[in-house]
Amino acid sequence: MTLRETPDPSENGTGFSGARAMRRLLWDLLRREKWTMVALCIGLVLAELGLRLFWPNLAGLVYAPDMTGGHKIVLTEKAYRIPDGTETAEPPQILALGDSTTFGTGVGAEDTWPLQLNTHLAAPVVVRNAGVEGGEPRQMLRGLDTLWSDPVPPPVIVLMVTANMVSFTEFRKDTAVGDPAARARALRAQGPEPARSVKTRLAHVVQSSALWKAVSLNVEFGKYGLGLLGHRVSLDAPLSPLLAYGWRQPDLSPAFGPRMWAEFESALLDLKTRTRLLGSCLIIGYLPPRFEIGDTRFDNLKFVPKARLTRDAEEELARMAAAFDLPFVSVGAALRQGRQDHGPLSKPYYIPGDYTHLDADGHSLAAQSLAQVIAPVLARPASCHHQGRP
Amino acid sequence: MLFNSTYFLIFLALVVFINFIINTEYRRYFLLVASYIFYWFWDIELSLLLVGSTFVDYVAARVISGAPAGHWLRRIALFASLLFNLGILILFKYADFFSSTISEMAGVAPWPMLDLILPLGISFYTFQTMSYTIDVYRGKLAAFRDPVDVALYVSFFPQLVAGPIIRADVLVPQIHKAHSLQPALIRAGIALVVWGLCKKVFFADAMAPIVNEAYANPEMMSGLALLAATYAFAAQIYFDFSGYTDIAIGSALMLGITLPRNFDTPYLSLSIAEFWRRWHISLSTWLRDYLYVSLGGNRKGSARTYFNLLITMVLGGLWHGAGWNWVVWGVFHGAILSLERMIGLAHHRPRSIPATALRWFVTFHLVCISWILFRATDLETAVTIMQRILFWSEGLAFAPGWPVFVVALLLVVELTGLRARWIAVIKASPRLALLVTLAACTLFPLVFRGTVNVEFIYFQF
């Protein structure tokens, strides 16, 4: 190819210069391509409407300090997540502990598994969602000591474990334990309608668009597919849910995974000891990441190289729960069954673009699975310490 | 400023826009300021080296030009220019290598390790400025009167940090020429920038994690994984460097300046001599014109020609980096170039398809062997990688399908001449150019967001 400096014949030899020429170029372009622009705008509007019609869960996914997936975050003084306007002082009969999957990142408070439990229990009980984003067992232990055992300890405590939580336990072992109520205080301090700048409001409008979400998610999946984004664990900050699955990386010591699980086991033992002292029944739940519930590309949109996973986190946790004589239930079985019954597009069970956080359907399945273990414990508290035995 | 960043896309659009709306007499000053702003995104202090290089070469060229032929001042001025440019190059790039090598051999370090930051683009702009004073000394070029011409020649932002290394008599007259706004060239520039970004972002950066992981831990990797990573690197370095060059040429074209091409389907070469005529053309012609020819070229008999080839390639290797792997890389290429010349392969084209295929296969794999020396952190690591591939060692494996696919795709793109077709199509259609621009301005910022912008490989040279 030869690129010439002489005026191009396609421009009829009208090489022109200066500001006037630039204006003329832009004006000519707009004039000549006005219908292209109009068609483009109509195409964008139609795409947005089509996506909202066929994939409504893509729209309105705004994330901000006081919003998750477009849902307002309301926390009580004790850091319980509740639907807006439902604050009561009743102490919980079931206390749900966990990380963002329990807190309900991406879904409304009423759709989280703790608040859906009553749908699957014979008689209604007071359930409190004390999930903390990025939470880990030692933080929950602190919450039990300072917040959630007052005025009376909850009879049933459910700890929903995720691979992220196991990773966080190791990652934060040398740092001070965070205060679970800190975010509640900050959120309550800013009032019901926090002031938002024009820029923030504009960003929320863009984030609410289904087309924007579809494009940005597909770009992200494309980046994972090409390898521009990967799952490599940084040795300076080793934090990844894949570590709980025995992630193999040439420069990562093979002893890292076992050490991480040992750290989690130690933290879980502390939590168990404390709940026994409180007279509560601790139930362990496990929520697998999406790539563990199906083998289709839709369930592994981030291209997790499963050949590099050398450990079954679910089995590991089941073994641990049995050793500690704790009731254990994995949501994995229900999710896998759900996947067999429904396609990954009709019922994804996870929020769009996420392999950790459940959508409302996923939370419903989790509540259903947990209710099967919680119901007998509620009926006969003494049965708590015999369910964990293999 | 990295080409593969949203900042650059905004910067380029602004520079192109302003370049055509200001008066012609101010364009040189504007482009000079824009070039320095481009460099300041990386470092402000080290841009003083650019200023120093500009000053020394401007003065040296003026002295050479002003002194009568054969006058001693001409030699002194040339010597001063070479001393300054090679001096800063040696100081920043080779001082630690020389110190550690002498320390290993003699047991005493002649000077302590300096651990200096390698200024961005130093290898490129020093070679470029040296060519200016040498050309003035050789009488091929008259020294520029206006220091702004020299300053812009040294710092012109599209090719400042990784070439193409351009001669002063090619660039400066174009800067002076009254530019006219030619939409077709703007469209061709857009096509080249988008093509280069696609090469860099979608293929070079996609290969980077595979290469980085395997080459950082060769003892843990299987022979197959290391072979796959070597193919991946062959694809990565081509897409990375030629992608950079396409963006550079495209950006300059939008400003009305034509830069020389730097790549001409190098992986389709049937000999190493041909490879060097097609790969990093601006460096190989620089080495030919200012080093190989100065050493005597092929005018002093066969033995001297082989020696000259070897010296040229070793210095070419050291230009890339300070280390024994670079020396061996240069020896490897110099030896093969000499061998090809000895047995007459350099200018002989095979006639049958099987012979062509065999020549291509051998050449490509010789290049891949040299890439091991190029990419490995040191000679010892390179030897380990070669051994593990050769003995098909056991270790951590990963599927080689993706790198092999990308190499195959590269060859198909080269064979079909897709790049030229893409440019021709976009150049001819304002509508397509508009749509491609809108798509690129939407897609690339999304791609850059949340990912580490991987620097271009040649930025480290």
Side-chain angles (χ1 to χ4, degrees), chain A residues 1 3-8 11 16 18-19 22 25 33 36 40 215 223 226-229 248 250-251 308, chain B residues 17 20 177 181-185 187 201 205-206 209 213 217 220 253 396 402 423 431 446-447 449 451:
Chain A
M1 190 211 65
L3 294 170
R4 295 166 305 145
E5 286 185 83
T6 50
D8 192 87
E11 304 303 319
F16 41 93
M22 182 58 88
L25 171 73
E33 301 303 328
T36 308
L40 206 60
V215 170
K223 286 196 280 187
L226 285 170
L228 304 179
L229 286 176
R248 210 160 43 131
D251 49 353
R308 286 191 171 203
Chain B
F17 182 77
F20 284 107
K177 199 171 159 187
L181 177 65
Q182 293 172 41
L185 290 192
R187 292 197 292 272
V201 174
D205 291 356
E213 183 163 70
N217 314 278
M220 305 284 291
L253 203 58
L396 190 66
W402 177 222
I423 296 164
R431 180 169 299 160
L446 275 174
V447 173
R449 194 182 64 159
T451 46

Side-chain angles (χ1 to χ4, degrees), chain B residues 267-278:
Chain B
Y267 284 147
L268 299 183
S269 302
L270 300 182
S271 67
I272 293 296
E274 189 182 351
F275 175 79
W276 278 108
R277 287 195 295 273
R278 292 164 172 265

Side-chain angles (χ1 to χ4, degrees), chain B residues 288-340:
Chain B
R288 183 197 64 199
D289 294 348
Y290 297 102
L291 191 59
Y292 179 69
V293 170
S294 302
L295 289 168
N298 58 2
R299 300 187 306 274
K300 297 187 177 177
S302 296
R304 182 63 189 267
T305 302
Y306 304 145
F307 177 76
N308 290 344
L309 279 172
L310 207 63
I311 290 292
T312 304
M313 294 314 294
V314 167
L315 290 174
L318 282 171
W319 175 87
H320 286 90
W324 286 107
N325 53 322
W326 298 109
V327 175
V328 176
W329 181 85
V331 169
F332 180 80
H333 274 287
I336 294 175
L337 284 172
S338 303
L339 192 68
E340 283 179 350

